[in-house]
Amino acid sequence: MIILGIESSCDETASAVVENGRIVRSQVVASQISVHSPYGGVVPELASRRHVEAIIQVIDQAVRESGCTFDDIDAIAVTCGPGLIGSLLVGIAAAKAIAYAMDKPLIPVNHLEGHIWAAFLEGEPLDEPSVCLVVSGGHTALYYVCPGEAPKLLGTTLDDAAGEAFDKVAKLLGLGYPGGIVIDRLSENGNPQAFHFPRSFLGKDSLDFSFSGIKTAVVNFVKKFGNPADKEKGTLGYRVEDLVASFQEAVVDVLVEKTTLASDMKGVSHVAVVGGVAANRRLRERFAERALEKGWKLRLPPLSLCTDNAVMIAAAAYEVWKRQGFSWDIFSVDAVSRWY
Ligand code: KG4
Ligand code: ZN
């Protein structure tokens, strides 16, 4: 089964051709970083406009590089949510047009389920119940994933997503966009124990998250000790590297502990961590350490499959097709800003 995947839920226009949910025939991602970086975050109107400009070219390139023709493609998969409605609609319109013109089935895909299946593209296919942490710019959530079933939500963020906290802190400190990568890089030369930031656990058995408190703690810190966005770096009474490393450590601590709690509660030893923040070096290191301590089989996608891409959408569509077959009328498929 050869699936053409299309992803446009936020600020990446992406397309990929994937065979049987695992063999990547091609993958194309057009990033919009240069469009949004002057604003320090994604500007929804600019994102949709850029998707319109890029989408045909991106899909065309993915099909060409796959060595397939449109005739060889069995189904079209597209992200329908959650995401920015204006951005989602561009991918959906393209997918509907191709599916209608080429008489192919269309599979709507949940973006978060896409992130989840990115963990199982390499190595053994999923054969045991797993706990999966989805940690991205828009979401931070824990899922229970069983072979052949839709992922079940165990807990989610009550306010900001972890990636959003990285992006907001980087913006506050004038470090640029996207903030996660900048903080990751700067933290390498920082002391993660230099400052203590609050870790919000929301009660002993809670699998939910909250990251707005830590963001406020960083705001209060710079009010008191100075902000590199307003001052020369040399005139600050502390090292920015130490500040961001300490912030990052607090976020990673919560993610590792909550995922451990979920795996203990569900009695599983298979754990996956996916989404843009799963590209973070310190997070990967800490999860690898915890996996050793707990005897987990840990799945971390390669960096190119952590951030938004269409390979994961085609891979998830294959799982959706295995569960439900082709059960959608092309014209009933629509964008949804919130989904499980
Ligand atoms: O999954 P993704 O590409 O888009 C969403 O679905 O949201 O995730 C983007 C998020 C951004 O918040 C970005 O700052 C964060 O992932 N991110 C990172 C790293 N790379 C991307 N956060 C921490 N460390 C990184 N290396
Ligand atoms: Zn994403």
Side-chain angles (χ1 to χ4, degrees):
M1 159 86 94
I2 298 182
I3 298 181
L4 169 69
I6 299 171
E7 154 66 38
S8 68
S9 65
C10 189
D11 59 345
E12 321 278 4
T13 320
S15 183
V17 175
V18 180
E19 192 174 338
N20 294 337
R22 287 175 64 86
I23 304 163
V24 181
R25 295 278 203 109
S26 65
Q27 113 139 296
V28 180
V29 180
S31 164
Q32 299 185 356
I33 288 181
S34 60
V35 175
H36 303 290
S37 55
Y39 307 95
V42 178
V43 182
E45 289 78 4
L46 295 182
S48 352
R49 204 178 301 167
R50 196 53 187 254
H51 284 307
V52 172
E53 287 162 6
I55 193 103
I56 300 295
Q57 209 181 318
V58 166
I59 296 172
D60 200 46
Q61 190 182 341
V63 175
R64 249 185 301 118
E65 290 179 2
S66 72
C68 299
T69 64
F70 274 106
D71 277 347
D72 303 323
I73 289 165
D74 298 300
I76 317 295
V78 64
T79 306
C80 287
L84 302 170
I85 288 289
S87 290
L88 289 163
L89 283 172
V90 178
I92 293 171
K96 280 182 174 176
I98 296 169
Y100 184 66
M102 304 281 175
D103 197 20
K104 309 274 180 196
L106 185 62
I107 307 175
V109 175
N110 179 309
H111 182 78
L112 302 176
E113 185 167 357
H115 275 301
I116 290 171
W117 290 106
F120 304 101
L121 270 146
E122 291 183 352
E124 299 293 307
L126 174 70
D127 52 359
E128 292 263 345
S130 292
V131 158
C132 182
L133 171 70
V134 180
V135 64
S136 71
H139 299 87
T140 300
L142 280 160
Y143 288 87
Y144 184 55
V145 190
C146 294
E149 292 176 25
K152 292 182 190 69
L153 185 67
L154 300 174
T156 188
T157 181
L158 304 181
D159 41 54
D160 291 352
E164 195 179 348
F166 272 92
D167 294 339
K168 285 180 176 168
V169 164
K171 189 174 179 182
L172 170 77
L173 303 178
L175 300 177
Y177 161 88
I181 303 166
V182 187
I183 289 182
D184 187 352
R185 212 177 300 135
L186 275 177
S187 297
E188 273 204 296
N189 299 314
N191 172 7
Q193 313 303 334
F195 307 109
H196 182 82
F197 288 109
R199 276 89 167 140
S200 174
F201 289 104
L202 302 167
K204 197 164 72 51
D205 295 328
S206 170
L207 294 178
D208 288 328
F209 298 88
S210 166
F211 291 106
S212 65
I214 183 165
K215 187 192 63 195
T216 311
V218 177
V219 170
N220 291 337
F221 181 98
V222 295
K223 271 191 196 149
K224 201 160 161 193
F225 299 107
N227 188 338
D230 316 321
K231 288 190 172 198
E232 283 297 309
K233 232 174 132 187
T235 65
L236 287 170
Y238 65 91
R239 291 177 69 238
V240 181
E241 290 83 351
D242 291 343
L243 169 60
V244 293
S246 303
F247 157 78
Q248 176 178 274
E249 198 68 9
V251 174
V252 171
D253 259 353
V254 173
L255 297 172
V256 171
E257 294 310 329
K258 290 273 177 185
T259 307
T260 306
L261 177 63
S263 78
D264 288 348
M265 283 166 89
K266 300 306 284 182
V268 303
S269 59
H270 287 229
V271 172
V273 187
V274 301
V277 183
N280 183 273
R281 264 175 281 206
R282 184 66 181 141
L283 175 143
R284 294 174 88 90
E285 195 174 88
R286 291 282 310 279
F287 268 101
E289 285 166 15
R290 182 57 56 93
L292 269 181
E293 283 160 33
K294 300 285 288 184
W296 288 343
K297 182 167 180 194
L298 177 68
R299 310 266 202 151
L300 284 164
L303 299 193
S304 63
L305 296 180
C306 286
T307 43
D308 288 349
N309 65 86
V311 169
M312 68 185 198
I313 301 306
Y318 183 70
E319 298 298 325
V320 172
W321 168 75
K322 282 199 292 187
R323 296 199 299 261
Q324 289 169 255
F326 295 128
S327 45
W328 295 272
D329 162 48
I330 292 178
F331 294 104
S332 67
V333 169
D334 211 347
V336 278
S337 60
R338 290 177 179 272
W339 197 347
Y340 63 82

